[in-house]
């Protein structure tokens, strides 16, 4: 559940973990791993394995392996004499 496999001819196999905004978090090379090791890794990461492809997913695993969003700290206001606008994360909307 929540795992998609894409076959890319000629590419080394890797597991790409994405955030809830589909931003890349991590790439884990799989070339040197056996099927059993990959299955264990996916389980350790918190993915839910359905019994059959059409089996229902329990409510507590609907968003697995997503973790709760980190608490964001408010941006600090710039010093009164500063002419530099406060920094924002790339892609952040200025109204947020």
């Amino acid at each position: 559940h929540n795992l998609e496999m894409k076959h890319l001819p000629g590419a080394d196999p890797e597991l790409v973990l994405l955030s809830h905004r589909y931003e890349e978090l991590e790439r884990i090379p799989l070339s040197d791993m056996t099927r059993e090791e990959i299955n264990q890794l996916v389980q350790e990461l918190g993915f839910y394995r359905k019994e059959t492809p059409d089996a229902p997913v329990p409510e507590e695993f609907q968003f697995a392996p997503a973790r709760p969003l980190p608490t964001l700290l408010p941006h600090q206001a710039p010093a009164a004499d500063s002419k530099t606008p406060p920094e924002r994360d790339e892609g952040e909307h200025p109204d947020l």
Side-chain angles (χ1 to χ4, degrees):
H1 178 68
N2 288 342
L3 184 91
E4 182 178 332
M5 183 176 162
K6 291 185 181 180
H7 179 72
L8 302 175
D12 288 334
E14 59 186 354
L15 177 64
V16 181
L17 301 175
L18 304 174
S19 74
H20 69 286
R21 294 181 178 164
Y22 297 96
E23 298 163 330
E24 185 177 313
L25 299 173
E26 185 177 0
R27 284 182 180 257
I28 302 171
L30 303 175
S31 298
D32 298 330
M33 298 176 78
T34 65
R35 177 184 291 261
E36 291 77 22
E37 290 170 328
I38 294 169
N39 286 335
Q40 181 66 33
L41 170 66
V42 170
Q43 184 177 8
E44 288 171 2
L45 289 171
F47 286 92
Y48 176 77
R49 184 175 182 142
K50 297 191 287 185
E51 294 295 323
T52 62
D54 59 341
V57 176
E59 184 70 31
E60 64 269 22
F61 292 107
Q62 287 294 319
F63 299 105
R67 307 288 190 268
L69 293 174
T71 303
L72 300 176
L73 298 175
H75 290 289
Q76 291 181 332
D81 61 347
S82 174
K83 294 181 180 162
T84 308
E87 290 186 25
R88 293 191 312 263
D89 292 336
E90 185 177 318
E92 180 183 17
H93 191 280
D95 294 336
L96 297 179

